[in-house]
């Protein structure tokens, strides 16, 4: 059992970075070096304590956020592993919501990559203090100074190395600590590192780097620069304290380096996390008084409050809720208020996780992260609090899933089973959304990317034993007419016994767009007896709803029953309905019928560099470009009207076109007539489907 830690000794740190940069490997190392794990797990061998789900092991990449809690010196580190793969960004955002600081891991081999920049921006928006770890220093073609320069150009001069590598590529051996002013190396053929003098050949580099560091921290202790220039001794603590302030302030971003694979620099990184990153005690959080807009602050010493930042759902293991305690303590086996739902919830056992291994804890301290099961009614984003001191924290925002597919069960008749299972998965993944599309009666599943949906499919098979197929969503086309006409329908059967007879004459006129369908009658002299008129109206509604041209509902049509005839014995409601259908089918085809399609307003946001390409591809989608404007965060926004039929898989196209930097949103605008070429294709498709 872990010992109890004070809030000031906790560090909640999320590891972020482009896929494959080595986050999981670093945390496997951390679990090993802190004595939490007996052996060092490896992503490549499938023995990682973090990449532990079957899907993760198969593909050697992280898909879900994980908690790797470990003890290091006087601190408890709650290290959070996250996926770099863009489809799983929701998991990374969840973990950011639980953290007080971020380590952005960058491969020294690749430098800044697309997701590096994205995670920097996300962490910045959340005001998370940040530091960098340049990993893979052992690989060929690494360039520490080159990557540092790149980071400083992109993210500002607050990016400042606190270490320099000793050796590079295969000869990478250790690091110079610019605060302690010593070297630390792992000699060849030895497992443990030793402290050394700074190698002489690095003297110049160290001198320059030390000056950059002192200049950077000088804002937080202005005596330092003076001392430095006068050649006075500066203690590690003085620099460290100023650095800590600068990081907490969101102004300084120290750079560490090492190799997760060669196991160099990992302990130094843990030391850095413990020494320089803020603790929960350094922070107050802001919520609202439930049911009002009034803002309130909470610090660790206040009454209990927590935020549910992640939920996992599994038919065998059950449901787990990950809590970040913001204030007060949480004891196992107590009742708390779910402020979001208003329900009282019974908290059972509490656990901490070392990757896949769970350990129970009796009390969670303010600022800590714990996991609890069986909270069936608590959702990600809920606030839990002491019922006598409720507070509500704002639920985090997630990107809107824009990749939409129609979902059907693989086996007929398994609709309910499938949709119930997806609903469970939806609770665990805020970037999945399932809805019923009224216009087409299809169930639409929206996600971030194809990999996410593929993994969902695998999980549904393995955990819920239900298969799904994803298809192109149907478009909610409509039909209408352009001119007025008259039509006659006669339904007559006289084959022995009781016959059938219905006969109607209809006027069919177009209405204004959006006015809907209307039925009237101007029967004079009982040519159609009163009791059959409702059947004619019903027949009109049903025939129009089923579509005539291509099976899509006919809209904005007025039908007037003005004449007809009947048979005293053979006429019935059914025969009048049939006569109406016959008349309408003829009439609509005679009234210049057209197909209507939904047009959406689309806004695409991306860096300016991509705007030309975006407009080009929108133009190939029959778009009407409305204009471009400058948006948030230095992005350009392209606004256009685009037929919905052309937007299938646009989420995927846009991602590859902009290297993942573009996002888009769409909103239904209005219906418009489908151009003839496209309309013929839709009509042909409908005929073929019959
Ligand atoms: N040479 C070298 N390879 C490394 C290093 N760190 C990690 N790797 C390798 O890089 C690959 C990816 O490592 P992971 O730890 O899975 O990377 P990740 O950042 O967790 O990747 P995602 O989960 O996809 O975001 C694996 O094959 C690791 O063995 C390193 O320091 N040096
Ligand atoms: Mg990983």
């Amino acid at each position: 059992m872990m010992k109890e830690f004070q809030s000031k000794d906790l560090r909640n740190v999320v590891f972020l970075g482009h896929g494959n940069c080595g986050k999981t490997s670093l945390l496997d190392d951390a679990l090993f070096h802190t004595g939490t794990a007996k052996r060092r797990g490896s992503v490549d061998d499938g023995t990682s304590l973090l990449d532990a789900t079957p899907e993760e092991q198969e593909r050697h990449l992280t898909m879900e956020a994980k908690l790797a809690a470990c003890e290091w010196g006087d601190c408890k580190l709650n290290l959070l592993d996250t996926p770099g793969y863009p489809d799983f960004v929701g998991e990374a955002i969840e973990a950011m919501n639980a953290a007080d600081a971020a380590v952005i891991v960058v491969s020294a081999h690749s430098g800044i990559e697309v997701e590096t920049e994205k995670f920097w921006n996300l962490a910045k928006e959340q005001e998370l203090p940040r530091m960098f770890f340049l990993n893979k220093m052992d690989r060929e073609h690494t360039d520490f100074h080159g990557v540092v320069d790149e980071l400083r150009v992109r993210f500002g001069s607050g990016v400042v190395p606190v270490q320099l590598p000793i050796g590079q590529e295969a000869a990478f051996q250790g690091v110079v600590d610019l605060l302690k002013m010593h070297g630390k190396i792992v000699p060849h053929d030895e497992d443990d590192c030793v402290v050394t003098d700074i190698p002489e050949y690095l003297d110049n580099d160290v001198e320059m780097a030390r000056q950059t560091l002192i200049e950077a921290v000088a804002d937080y202790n202005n005596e330092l620069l003076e001392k430095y220039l006068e050649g006075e001794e500066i203690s590690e603590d003085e620099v460290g304290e100023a650095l800590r302030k600068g990081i907490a302030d969101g102004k300084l971003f120290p750079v560490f380096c090492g190799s997760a694979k060669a196991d160099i620099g990992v302990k130094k990184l843990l030391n850095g996390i413990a020494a320089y990153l803020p603790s929960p005690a350094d922070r107050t959080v802001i919520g609202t008084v439930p049911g009002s807009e009034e803002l309130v602050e909470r610090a660790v010493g206040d009454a209990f409050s927590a935020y549910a930042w992640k939920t996992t759902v599994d038919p065998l293991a059950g449901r787990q809720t990950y809590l970040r305690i913001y204030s007060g303590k949480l004891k196992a086996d107590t009742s708390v208020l779910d402020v979001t739902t208003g329900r009282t919830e019974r908290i059972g056992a509490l656990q901490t996780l070392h990757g896949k291994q769970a350990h129970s804890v009796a009390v969670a301290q303010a600022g800590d992260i714990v996991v609890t099961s069986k909270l069936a009614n608590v959702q990600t984003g809920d606030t839990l609090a002491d019922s006598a001191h409720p507070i509500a924290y704002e639920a985090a925002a997630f990107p809107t899933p824009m990749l939409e597919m129609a979902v059907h069960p693989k086996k007929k008749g398994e609709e309910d089973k499938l949709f119930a299972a997806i609903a469970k998965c939806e609770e665990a993944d805020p970037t999945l959304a399932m809805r019923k599309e009224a216009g087409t009666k299809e169930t639409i599943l929206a996600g971030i990317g194809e990999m996410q949906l593929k993994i969902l499919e695998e999980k549904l098979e393995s955990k819920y034993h239900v298969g799904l197929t994803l298809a192109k969503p149907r478009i909610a086309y409509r039909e209408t007419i352009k001119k007025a006409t008259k039509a006659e329908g006669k339904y007559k059967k006289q084959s022995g016994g009781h016959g059938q007879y219905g006969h109607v004459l209809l006027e069919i006129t177009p209405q204004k767009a959006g006015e809907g369908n209307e039925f009237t009658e101007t029967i004079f002299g009982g040519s159609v007896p009163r009791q059959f008129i409702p059947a004619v109206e019903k027949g009109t509604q049903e025939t129009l709803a089923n579509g005539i041209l291509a099976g899509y509902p006919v809209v904005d049509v007025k039908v007037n029953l003005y004449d007809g005839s009947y048979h005293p014995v053979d006429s019935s409601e059914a025969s009048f309905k049939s006569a109406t259908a016959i008349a309408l089918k003829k009439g609509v085809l005679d009234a210049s019928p057209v197909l209507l399609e939904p047009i959406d307003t689309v806004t695409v946001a991306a860096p300016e560099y991509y705007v030309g390409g975006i407009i080009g591809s929108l133009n190939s989608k029959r778009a009407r470009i409305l204009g471009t404007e400058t948006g948030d965060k230095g992005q350009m926004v392209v606004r256009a009207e685009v037929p919905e039929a052309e937007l299938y898989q646009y989420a995927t196209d846009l991602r590859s076109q902009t290297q993942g930097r573009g996002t888009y949103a769409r909103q239904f605008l209005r219906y418009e007539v489908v151009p003839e070429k496209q309309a013929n294709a839709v009509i042909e498709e409908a005929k073929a489907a019959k």
Side-chain angles (χ1 to χ4, degrees):
M1 182 162 270
M2 283 182 122
K3 64 179 195 224
E4 281 187 17
F5 289 87
Q6 304 284 312
S7 306
K8 70 172 180 47
D9 295 326
L10 298 172
R11 299 289 180 275
N12 299 312
V13 184
V14 60
F15 279 60
L16 301 169
H18 195 88
N20 224 41
C21 66
K23 300 173 290 295
T24 304
S25 304
L26 271 173
L27 294 189
D28 268 313
D29 285 353
L31 286 174
F32 176 66
H33 285 304
T34 54
T36 318
K38 291 218 169 51
R39 51 168 181 74
R40 203 172 134 214
S42 151
V43 173
D44 303 317
D45 303 347
T47 58
S48 170
L49 285 169
L50 295 145
D51 281 359
T53 72
E55 296 81 18
E56 289 174 333
Q57 288 186 329
E58 188 191 324
R59 291 178 176 79
H60 300 287
L61 59 90
T62 307
M63 295 170 187
E64 290 175 27
K66 309 276 170 25
L67 169 61
C70 43
E71 294 178 21
W72 187 242
D74 296 329
C75 285
K76 178 186 177 195
L77 313 180
N78 285 317
L79 307 179
L80 297 160
D81 190 19
T82 65
Y85 200 86
D87 287 26
F88 308 110
V89 64
E91 293 282 327
I93 293 174
E94 287 181 341
M96 277 187 240
N97 295 332
D100 298 310
V103 172
I104 299 181
V105 182
V106 179
S107 157
H109 172 80
S110 316
I112 297 178
E113 295 173 269
V114 173
E115 306 304 313
T116 319
E117 196 179 319
K118 188 176 83 191
F119 286 124
W120 166 274
N121 289 331
L122 283 169
K124 188 174 166 190
E125 272 168 39
Q126 300 211 10
E127 296 180 6
L128 281 182
R130 278 145 278 164
M131 63 189 220
F132 288 99
F133 185 80
L134 298 198
N135 189 34
K136 303 201 181 183
M137 285 300 301
D138 61 304
R139 276 199 62 174
E140 73 286 6
H141 309 306
T142 60
D143 175 7
F144 176 83
H145 295 284
V147 177
V148 168
D149 287 347
E150 203 188 348
L151 291 172
R152 286 172 68 97
V153 167
R154 194 76 64 90
F155 305 128
S157 57
V159 176
V160 51
V162 292
Q163 297 181 332
L164 290 183
I166 301 177
Q168 211 145 295
E169 306 190 353
F172 177 62
Q173 241 194 324
V175 298
V176 172
D177 183 328
L178 294 170
L179 277 87
K180 286 192 164 47
M181 290 301 272
H182 68 200
K184 203 147 195 197
I185 61 168
V186 182
H188 278 296
D189 308 324
E190 274 183 54
D191 278 347
D192 233 350
C193 50
V194 294
V195 174
T196 63
D197 290 337
I198 292 170
E200 229 169 82
Y201 77 95
L202 281 176
D203 278 351
N204 273 341
D205 285 358
V206 169
E207 183 65 35
M208 274 168 57
R210 173 88 172 163
Q211 186 173 339
T212 309
L213 173 62
I214 302 293
E215 280 169 1
V217 300
D219 277 348
Y220 295 88
N221 178 350
N222 38 32
E223 285 166 23
L224 284 182
L225 196 56
E226 222 167 283
K227 276 189 172 177
Y228 178 78
L229 293 175
E230 277 164 25
E232 275 180 57
E233 189 83 1
I234 299 176
S235 77
E236 178 196 349
D237 285 352
E238 282 174 292
V239 185
E241 192 46 39
L243 184 62
R244 229 176 69 82
K245 284 189 192 145
I247 295 171
D249 220 17
K251 296 278 168 50
L252 295 183
F253 315 101
V255 181
F256 291 73
C257 67
S259 162
K261 186 144 194 170
D263 196 10
I264 298 173
V266 180
K267 290 193 232 170
K268 278 263 180 209
L269 173 66
L270 299 180
N271 288 340
I273 287 172
Y276 310 130
L277 292 186
S279 82
D282 297 325
R283 174 174 178 195
T284 51
V285 279
I286 296 173
T288 53
V289 175
S292 82
E293 309 258 286
E294 193 190 326
L295 297 177
V296 267
E297 273 192 3
R298 281 284 169 96
V300 285
D302 296 332
F304 165 74
S305 71
Y307 179 78
W309 59 274
K310 175 180 166 68
T311 309
T312 58
V313 180
D314 185 290
L316 291 176
R319 184 187 180 94
Q320 290 201 303
T321 306
Y322 287 61
L323 298 175
R324 161 66 201 262
I325 319 275
Y326 276 134
S327 58
K329 292 181 188 187
L330 179 63
K331 284 204 189 82
D333 304 314
T334 47
S335 292
V336 299
L337 175 69
D338 181 332
V339 181
T340 314
T341 62
R343 293 169 52 102
T344 299
E345 297 289 346
R346 181 82 191 157
I347 304 278
L350 298 176
Q351 291 183 320
T352 184
L353 299 178
H354 309 145
K356 63 180 177 184
Q357 295 165 350
H359 287 266
S360 44
V361 288
V363 186
Q365 301 294 327
D368 211 345
I369 292 171
V370 279
V371 180
T372 182
S373 49
K374 302 204 180 78
L375 290 180
N377 299 299
V378 176
Q379 305 282 352
T380 300
D382 284 7
T383 303
L384 302 185
D386 177 346
S387 56
H389 301 93
I391 180 171
Y393 297 115
E394 198 186 338
F398 292 91
T400 311
M402 295 302 296
L403 178 64
E404 302 193 321
M405 299 296 285
V407 49
H408 305 282
K410 214 168 237 167
K411 276 201 211 122
K412 261 215 159 107
E414 291 201 332
E415 276 83 2
D416 290 351
K417 186 176 174 189
L418 175 67
F419 297 148
I422 295 177
K424 290 273 175 212
C425 297
E426 216 182 329
E427 286 190 60
D429 183 351
T431 61
L432 268 185
M434 185 170 60
R435 65 164 200 277
K436 187 103 187 179
E437 187 67 53
T440 57
K441 299 194 176 60
E442 279 188 317
T443 302
I444 302 293
L445 184 63
I448 301 282
E450 273 151 19
M451 166 86 103
Q452 175 199 20
L453 297 183
K454 179 87 195 104
I455 299 301
L456 173 72
E457 184 182 344
E458 287 179 20
K459 279 192 195 158
L460 289 170
E461 292 268 5
S462 65
K463 294 187 173 179
Y464 296 90
H465 312 294
V466 58
L468 65 69
T469 52
L470 296 173
K472 183 174 171 174
R474 293 186 66 197
I475 298 297
Y477 292 109
R478 291 176 176 174
E479 301 174 9
T480 194
I481 54 169
K482 284 288 174 199
K483 64 170 215 229
T485 189
K486 287 183 177 171
E488 180 175 9
K490 190 180 261 183
Y491 186 70
K492 191 171 158 186
K493 262 192 184 159
Q494 260 142 351
S495 49
H498 205 309
Q500 294 183 42
Y501 184 91
H503 176 211
V504 294
L505 287 148
L506 305 175
E507 284 166 335
I508 304 171
T509 10
Q511 304 235 82
K512 273 207 216 104
E515 227 170 313
N517 294 334
E518 197 185 336
F519 176 83
T520 54
E521 52 91 9
T522 48
I523 292 295
F524 194 72
S527 56
V528 176
R530 283 287 116 196
Q531 74 264 32
F532 295 131
I533 291 178
V536 177
E537 179 166 12
K538 192 125 190 282
T540 301
Q541 283 167 355
E542 283 176 12
T543 309
L544 293 181
N546 286 333
I548 290 164
L549 202 53
Y552 296 97
V554 182
V555 298
D556 302 333
V557 168
K558 182 174 165 178
V559 175
N560 181 46
L561 170 67
Y562 70 95
D563 204 354
S565 63
Y566 71 103
H567 184 279
V569 180
D570 291 348
S571 278
S572 67
E573 286 185 13
S575 41
F576 269 98
K577 256 174 95 172
S578 301
T580 307
I582 293 167
L584 272 178
K585 281 179 190 163
K586 274 196 291 193
V588 164
L589 291 178
D590 188 42
S592 304
V594 288
L595 211 53
L596 300 174
E597 64 179 342
I599 305 289
D600 290 358
T601 307
V602 171
T603 45
V604 188
E608 188 165 9
Y609 175 78
Y610 300 104
V611 165
I614 288 168
I615 291 178
S617 95
L618 286 175
N619 277 332
S620 73
K621 297 182 184 301
R622 299 192 277 132
R624 208 172 293 133
I625 306 290
L626 300 175
T628 57
E629 59 208 57
T630 317
D632 293 347
K633 303 167 206 158
Q635 294 207 315
M636 291 300 288
V637 176
V638 181
R639 284 168 28 85
E641 292 176 8
V642 192
E644 221 168 79
E646 301 285 339
L647 287 171
Y648 175 57
Q649 291 194 324
Y650 185 55
T652 309
D653 295 352
L654 180 67
R655 183 201 275 186
S656 61
Q657 198 172 41
T658 60
Q659 292 193 294
R661 291 185 175 92
T663 56
Y664 90 103
R666 68 181 178 91
Q667 194 174 24
F668 171 72
L669 178 66
R670 61 165 171 265
Y671 272 89
E672 277 183 19
V673 174
V674 183
E676 202 177 317
K677 183 175 150 221
Q678 280 81 11
N680 286 339
V682 175
I683 293 165
E684 284 310 311
E685 210 175 296
K687 276 189 193 148
K690 262 195 186 155

